[in-house]
Amino acid sequence: MALTVLFGTFVFLLIIGTPIAFCLGVASFATVLVLGLPPLVVFQRLNSGVSVFSLMAIPFFIFAGDLMVRGGIAARLVALAGSLVGHLRGGLGQVNIAASTMFGGISGSAVADASAVGGLMIPQMKARGYGVDYAVNITSVGAIIALLIPPSHNMIIYSISAGGRISIADLFTAGVLPGLLLALSLMITAYWVASRRGYPTEPFAGFGRALQLLLAAIPGLILIGIIFGGVRSGIFTATESSCIAIVYAFLVTLIIYRSMSWNDFVTATTAAVRTTAMVLMIIGCAAAFGWLLAYLRVPAALVAFLQSVSDNKLVILLMINVVLLILGTFMDMSPLIIITTPIFLPVVMAYGVDPVHFGVILILNLGIGLCTPPVGAVLFVSCAIGRIPIWTAMRSIWPFYGAAFAVLMLVTYIPEISLWLPSLFH
Amino acid sequence: MKSFWLATERLLSQLARLALWVSGAGLTLMTIIIFWQVFSRYVLNRSPSWTESFSVLLMGWFIFLGAAVGVRERTHLGFDVLLYFLPHAAKAVLRSISDIVVLAFGAGMIVYGVQLTMLTWNTVMPSLALPGGVGFLPVILGGALVCLFSLERLAGRFAGLPVDADQYATGEEDL
């Protein structure tokens, strides 16, 4: 009964368009009333769910990413990528993917990546005669790379949803190879599509020009080292590294690039507030929801159910992947991480899957969901930049979905791709 | 009647902007505090004990005020695909149900936030020497704003104002 109220209220409100944070909060509120528990507990969980120090990394990384886009750090990374891979088949498409990979090293958000890289690359690609759909598709699917390459605030959300026991440094390290693998497979796909459509290559700019662009991009590249090195070596926590990223981005744009006005700063701050207050509100409400799931023993029941279906780890992982892909088409990433982690993590751990490995699977899988309609924030951002309807992008996006899905399967069934690099640090 | 609406709209829009500014100031202050924490640890060789708990306290204000502004500006993530396929009247009904539900949750934030504050007022936060109840104040204030802003939407829709139009109350233009 209580379970019906919890899920029934949630799904009903979700369908009629209530903001997800309130779907979760009100469903928990209603369930607590039905169970006869004190309603106080919902709001106590809401508050304690967001009073977590590591959560602060989320507004910080998003704020830092915004400063890097407005201040020109992102633009210089894109220019550097242009001089490195622009001469490959599918020229600017390759540049787009390489730029996503580099920008992913300083920002952990796929939406920020799509708006930063897409904002610079899509108009250029249009002007050089590439199909807008091609530009939009590469930008969207390429943005998933940013979720895997550290820093990734979604991995922090995963670690917190899993009870905070999974090392963020390990998760960050585990994402590196899958991220690079995804970049590689997308570059191959971009090459293949470009050959079929007869897209041009860019002339190689020459070593002198490349060196010049490298020098201009160095402040951004140093930040990659500071964040990853700092967290990996334990010099500072993920939250502290995100704070240093803000201060660093602020100083670089203010002193070296001289491209930040007070108005830019205010706009960046309020933009960060708008984006992250909403995400954190979802996290708070999901804390109440998750507490009720545990109270009603949902994860345990699911483990028992799945064990009755199959005792094969590979089958279970495939089933979970399919369920996550379906959920990912109509829900956003962070609420899904918060809701599904406490449900699925005990299941896969019962089958002997490493929680760090599952984290990478989850992030990559839900990352694909960001590029699928009806709800796909990254695809929407890219289409808005390219000014094409979602349908136009959808018609030719399939090879890129295919590449991302292939990497998802590789990452799911070859745990070493995720776990080998972290194991070197133990 | 029309001037009353305009005055209310102006007042609430200023309230939203104030909340946004407080949130933004909170974010900036959090950044400064955590930077200070790292700086003291490595440069001054002593770790301040108050920085983490104080910035977590600020984060509460940042989240609940910012989320309330999101109710007014409709920036919250949601799944509104179904709404596209429905006739106008049905949309208005479903959106009103949503707003009522949000209003109820805001009311819950106020009522239970007050109870939680009173229950924990006599405890003391370690490392800050503040009453434990202080942590629930942003829940109460955020709840109050959530109520006001969802009421504004309900009343506005009832009066035939374009509260569901894309450009309504986004606040982007006046920055």
Side-chain angles (χ1 to χ4, degrees):
Chain A
M1 173 61 192
L3 206 57
T4 321
V5 172
L6 186 67
F7 282 106
T9 316
F10 174 70
V11 172
F12 171 73
L13 292 177
L14 190 71
I15 290 174
I16 69 166
T18 310
I20 291 176
F22 296 100
C23 296
L24 291 164
V26 172
S28 314
F29 198 7
T31 311
V32 160
L33 291 176
V34 168
L35 285 170
L37 297 168
L40 202 77
V41 73
V42 172
F43 299 90
Q44 195 256 329
R45 290 278 147 185
L46 166 69
N47 198 50
S48 64
V50 291
S51 303
V52 179
F53 182 65
S54 23
L55 274 181
M56 213 173 288
I58 299 167
F60 282 177
F61 273 129
I62 289 179
F63 191 20
D66 213 58
L67 288 175
M68 289 185 278
V69 174
R70 281 173 216 276
I73 293 182
R76 283 165 181 84
L77 288 177
V78 172
L80 173 65
S83 72
L84 295 178
V85 295
H87 57 284
L88 298 176
R89 172 72 60 193
L92 293 183
Q94 309 290 1
V95 174
N96 192 322
I97 296 164
S100 275
T101 313
M102 278 195 243
F103 187 64
I106 48 177
S107 146
S109 150
V111 175
D113 185 285
S115 47
V117 177
L120 293 161
M121 291 302 303
I122 294 174
Q124 269 191 61
M125 291 176 76
K126 250 182 181 172
R128 295 276 292 123
Y130 292 80
V132 187
D133 58 330
Y134 180 75
V136 164
N137 292 338
I138 288 192
T139 304
S140 309
V141 185
I144 307 174
I145 302 169
L147 300 167
L148 293 168
I149 303 272
S152 168
H153 69 251
N154 286 296
M155 292 209 177
I156 298 172
I157 299 181
Y158 170 70
S159 163
I160 293 168
S161 313
R165 286 183 305 271
I166 306 173
S167 149
I168 291 175
D170 278 350
L171 282 168
F172 275 15
T173 320
V176 174
L177 285 183
L180 293 177
L181 187 64
L182 180 60
L184 182 69
S185 79
L186 290 178
M187 285 177 94
I188 295 171
T189 314
Y191 184 99
W192 179 70
V193 176
S195 315
R196 285 182 25 145
R197 293 190 178 189
Y199 285 151
T201 57
E202 305 297 310
F204 182 56
F207 286 105
R209 180 77 186 133
L211 199 65
Q212 209 181 348
L213 290 170
L214 177 68
L215 284 178
I218 274 183
L221 296 174
I222 289 177
L223 188 52
I224 301 180
I226 294 179
I227 294 175
F228 185 66
V231 174
R232 185 67 261 183
S233 61
I235 294 176
F236 30 72
T237 60
T239 307
E240 288 171 348
S241 84
S242 60
C243 171
I244 287 171
I246 297 179
V247 175
Y248 182 89
F250 182 68
L251 291 179
V252 164
T253 43
L254 202 67
I255 296 167
I256 303 182
Y257 296 157
R258 293 169 195 266
S259 50
M260 171 82 51
S261 68
W262 171 247
N263 269 343
D264 288 337
F265 180 73
V266 171
T267 319
T269 315
T270 46
V273 170
R274 284 194 166 94
T275 330
T276 53
M278 180 176 78
V279 172
L280 289 165
M281 185 74 186
I282 296 175
I283 291 179
C285 290
F289 193 86
W291 180 78
L292 278 166
L293 283 180
Y295 182 87
L296 298 170
R297 302 180 183 281
V298 173
L302 191 72
V303 173
F305 170 72
L306 285 174
Q307 275 172 337
S308 72
V309 172
S310 168
D311 52 6
N312 187 335
K313 179 168 119 181
L314 305 182
V315 176
I316 295 297
L317 278 175
L318 186 67
M319 281 169 52
I320 290 181
N321 262 318
V322 170
V323 171
L324 288 173
L325 280 172
I326 295 171
L327 290 174
T329 60
F330 62 84
M331 264 179 84
D332 244 296
M333 184 161 191
S334 42
L336 272 179
I337 297 176
I338 303 156
I339 299 166
T340 58
T341 301
I343 300 180
F344 285 146
L345 186 61
V347 175
V348 295
M349 282 177 73
Y351 285 87
V353 176
D354 190 292
V356 171
H357 177 208
F358 183 67
V360 177
I361 300 175
L362 185 75
I363 302 289
L364 175 53
N365 185 311
L366 298 180
I368 297 174
L370 288 177
C371 305
T372 52
V375 177
V378 168
L379 183 67
F380 293 178
V381 166
S382 313
C383 285
I385 299 171
R387 291 167 203 248
I388 54 169
I390 312 280
W391 271 131
T392 316
M394 284 300 292
R395 239 175 280 156
S396 57
I397 203 171
W398 299 98
F400 298 99
Y401 280 163
F405 184 75
V407 174
L408 175 63
M409 287 296 108
L410 286 175
V411 166
T412 303
Y413 291 116
I414 311 176
E416 287 75 21
I417 299 176
S418 313
L419 298 178
W420 176 70
L421 204 55
S423 75
L424 297 184
F425 289 92
H426 287 289
Chain B
M1 193 61 190
K2 187 145 192 220
S3 63
F4 169 74
W5 274 120
L6 277 177
T8 316
E9 206 270 326
R10 198 172 310 132
L11 183 72
L12 289 178
S13 132
Q14 260 158 22
L15 206 55
R17 197 194 297 192
L18 180 68
L20 198 61
W21 274 83
V22 172
S23 290
L27 179 59
T28 315
L29 207 55
M30 275 151 60
T31 315
I32 295 169
I33 290 172
I34 299 306
F35 189 72
W36 171 250
Q37 172 177 310
V38 180
F39 184 80
S40 345
R41 188 164 72 229
Y42 288 109
V43 183
L44 308 178
N45 265 324
R46 56 192 163 86
S47 294
S49 59
W50 57 275
T51 45
E52 288 205 6
S53 26
F54 188 57
S55 55
V56 166
L57 205 58
L58 281 175
M59 187 159 65
W61 288 95
F62 158 77
I63 294 167
F64 294 116
L65 294 187
V69 174
V71 170
R72 184 164 198 274
E73 298 181 352
R74 292 196 306 145
T75 48
H76 278 279
L77 294 172
F79 173 71
D80 48 7
V81 183
L82 177 73
L83 292 182
Y84 287 111
F85 299 106
L86 289 177
H88 192 73
K91 264 186 220 174
V93 171
L94 292 187
R95 283 187 170 135
S96 300
I97 298 178
S98 271
D99 288 337
I100 291 170
V101 159
V102 171
L103 176 67
F105 194 74
M109 285 170 74
I110 302 177
V111 172
Y112 297 105
V114 168
Q115 287 190 13
L116 284 163
T117 311
M118 294 199 307
L119 279 173
T120 51
W121 196 259
N122 291 324
T123 61
V124 177
M125 283 188 210
S127 79
L128 279 184
L130 283 172
V134 169
F136 291 105
L137 294 179
V139 178
I140 304 174
L141 209 74
L145 289 179
V146 167
C147 287
L148 277 179
F149 293 147
S150 48
L151 267 178
E152 181 197 12
R153 298 181 48 74
L154 277 166
R157 190 177 299 113
F158 192 67
L161 294 180
V163 285
D164 299 314
D166 276 346
Q167 293 305 313
Y168 192 80
T170 53
E172 300 273 1
E173 71 285 353
D174 49 283
L175 275 169

